[in-house]
Amino acid sequence: MADQDLHKVAFPTLDDVQVATLAKFGTRRALRDGEHLFKAGDREYKFFVVERGAVEIVEHSSGETKKVALHERHAFGGDVSLVTGRPALISAVARGDTEVFEIAPNDIRRIMGERPALGELLLRAFIARRELLVASDFQGLRVLGAGSSRDTFRIRDFLARNQVPFTWIDVDHDPQVGALLQSFGLTEADTPVVVFGSEPLLRNPSTRALADLIGVRRPLTQRVYDLVIVGGGPAGLAAAVYASSEGLATVVIDATSPGGQAGTSSKIENYLGFPTGISGADLANRAILQAQKFGAQFSSPSQVARLEFEKDKTLVWFDGEHVSTRCLLIATGAEYRKLDVPKREQFEGLGVYYAATQTELQLCRGSEVIVVGGGNSAGQAVMFLSEETRRVFLLLRGGDLRKSMSSYLTDRIEGADNIEVLVDAEICRMLGDQRLEAVEIKNLRTGETRTVQAPAVFTFIGAIPCTNWLPAEIETDPNGFVKTGRLVSASPYWTADREPFFLETSRPGVFAAGDVRLGSTKRVASAVGEGAMAVQFVHEYLRVM
Ligand SMILES: Cc1cc2nc3c(=O)[nH]c(=O)nc-3n(C[C@H](O)[C@H](O)[C@H](O)COP(=O)(O)OP(=O)(O)OC[C@H]3O[C@@H](n4cnc5c(N)ncnc54)[C@H](O)[C@@H]3O)c2cc1C
């Protein structure tokens, strides 16, 4: 969308009917010139409509105060964080004697559900505002840390996966960094640090502390849920959208951040409805917002460790707490296999990566890099990386790329000048001191080896199901994939007086969808389809239980 059009979508003026509809939910508030409605960092701040006077939106992420927008009569304030429940990124200040009416975030979500046309206007404006803010010189959180630090990578990766606007300042290379650190009363030894505006917030924070800061780990409010979804990949997110839109009290619990494997893809080109492709992070972000709009709750990073079955409920345990639910969906997908090469562990986050996104690219732009694997995820990574690195070596243990990769990718790989496919090849050594500097590659047919100077190895060599936390009552095959439907009708754990539903596991009321399920097709669309279908079975189970 052209900037001008985006601006119109972002800052519409409400008509009298829309104002009257919103006013029913609002509380009037009079403000003096310079008084704040809310400040950046405030949680649970309120939506507002200006009745008289004006409200200026300002941001100070770089330390300087900058004007973002001015809302006058019948304009409204708010952005996507009203829906996601995250803290405000900007501040709102009255200009002149001003009167507004304010609406609590829960009521805004309710209005979005009950008044679709008005809801769409608001949500489109919120999304467009965020896009404009991110495209401006807004710095968001600033991460001051070294490219050679694993903790810096962890922090950047977590913020990026959770779609938090941030700027990374590389203490190894940025000439201004010394003065900047000094202005916060810090030295390089304190890095990585996370700052906002002129305030240092966290020093080398744990992932959990970061999650609290950005507002993704919040207390769950319901005593008993209709549906707890373990895993927020495409299957879990689809289930969350359908379940919450159909009135089920729903929560998604994810061990890292919602998005799953798909969230690590730089570009998904074969998902229906996106002819020019969509990044996994974007797809996940839209789905999360959609589910939250309908009232689904999220908790991450929260690793589910244990289930406890009661007569007609399941207790789901994570990080020492638990929630209770009538139905459970296991959507924990799969996690990548790791290379069996000495020193691999030492270089994780310091040259060994399992995703190819901007976060990793920033660390190897212009260099030679290695991608290992023969499937579509490896192919996508090769295409993405080849645009901004000098050369990509694609390593296959076998001899034929076309056997395992879609032709839309193999055609492009074969046509590219800076991609070299090495068949019958594997990495036998990783070399480097603080971080990965080079790898030794062995030809499995001839035994010859060669060394490539490469600061990054990207591995896409298949995945194993995340099911080691499941109790015996949930039957799996010998490889750990969850059995469902006809496969569990004779299970000793199957106690119901009926046949299991198609996606039901050996425990009545517990379902499985997506990559974790035995026999599923390992694709985004299939996972989404199964997640949606599972909700239908949840309704049927709740009817017959
Ligand atoms: C790099 C890459 C590119 C891909 N590209 C494509 C593509 O272009 N097209 C396509 O169709 N498919 C693609 N795929 C495959 C596709 O992403 C998967 O099929 C899909 O993501 C499976 O979705 P899922 O929801 O079943 O599981 P996942 O995406 O694996 O999500 C599972 C989620 O569960 C969470 N989890 C795991 N254990 C626990 C626990 N104990 N407690 C709480 N949470 C837990 C994880 O953190 C994760 O977020 C790609 C995969 C990768 C890795």
Side-chain angles (χ1 to χ4, degrees), residues 231 233-235 254-256 260-262 270 304 332-334 377 380 514-515 523-524:
D254 198 287
T256 53
Q261 297 168 70
N270 53 9
V304 174
T332 45
S377 40
Q380 284 172 10
D515 279 16
R523 287 266 190 269
V524 175

Side-chain angles (χ1 to χ4, degrees), residues 230-237 253-271 302-305 331-336 354-356 376-378 380 408 460 466 468-469 513-516 521-527:
V230 187
L237 290 173
I253 302 174
D254 198 287
T256 53
S257 39
Q261 297 168 70
T264 65
S265 169
S266 51
K267 201 167 200 188
I268 297 169
E269 288 193 71
N270 53 9
Y271 185 58
S302 304
Q303 174 128 20
V304 174
T332 45
E335 65 182 5
Y336 30 75
Y354 299 94
N376 281 358
S377 40
Q380 284 172 10
Y408 82 92
F460 301 93
C466 300
N468 58 6
W469 57 282
D515 279 16
V516 78
T521 306
K522 310 300 184 250
R523 287 266 190 269
V524 175
S526 327

Side-chain angles (χ1 to χ4, degrees), residues 36-234:
H36 274 89
L37 280 91
F38 56 82
K39 289 186 180 165
D42 283 359
R43 289 162 193 251
E44 293 288 309
Y45 73 96
K46 290 182 180 141
F47 172 92
F48 66 85
V49 176
V50 181
E51 287 276 51
R52 189 166 55 81
V55 175
E56 190 172 84
I57 302 298
V58 293
E59 70 94 356
H60 57 270
S61 61
S62 63
E64 274 172 50
T65 302
K66 291 180 189 165
K67 178 174 162 181
V68 175
L70 186 73
H71 296 309
E72 294 180 303
R73 189 166 184 271
H74 287 186
F76 59 89
D79 94 333
V80 284
S81 50
L82 273 175
V83 183
T84 60
R86 295 193 189 182
L89 296 177
I90 39 82
S91 307
V93 197
R95 290 293 170 230
D97 277 351
T98 296
E99 194 177 319
V100 300
F101 61 82
E102 292 182 315
I103 303 179
N106 271 347
D107 287 328
I108 282 298
R109 284 195 286 268
R110 215 173 102 204
I111 292 165
M112 284 179 168
E114 288 173 7
R115 313 276 168 143
L118 182 54
E120 185 181 331
L121 178 107
L122 301 183
L123 193 54
R124 277 175 178 269
F126 293 168
I127 294 170
R129 285 172 189 187
R130 180 56 66 89
E131 274 181 45
L132 286 169
L133 188 67
V134 170
S136 72
D137 55 2
F138 177 70
Q139 301 210 348
L141 292 177
R142 284 183 290 173
V143 179
L144 282 67
S148 54
S149 145
R150 184 181 284 142
D151 281 323
T152 304
F153 179 77
R154 175 180 57 79
I155 293 167
R156 291 171 56 224
D157 187 46
F158 186 73
L159 295 177
R161 279 179 190 231
N162 283 287
Q163 303 273 320
V164 177
F166 75 97
T167 306
W168 171 42
I169 299 166
D170 186 351
V171 300
D172 285 342
H173 294 110
D174 194 305
Q176 316 287 336
V177 81
L180 191 59
L181 280 166
Q182 216 175 12
S183 70
F184 292 110
L186 300 167
T187 67
E188 206 175 314
D190 296 313
T191 63
V193 289
V194 179
V195 307
F196 185 72
S198 48
E199 202 186 336
L201 297 176
L202 298 169
R203 249 178 68 182
N204 196 10
S206 66
T207 305
R208 189 148 175 186
L210 260 185
D212 289 336
L213 175 77
I214 65 171
V216 292
R217 242 189 82 88
R218 286 179 307 141
L220 298 178
T221 52
Q222 201 97 0
R223 267 175 52 80
V224 181
Y225 285 86
D226 294 319
L227 178 62
V228 167
I229 299 166
V230 187

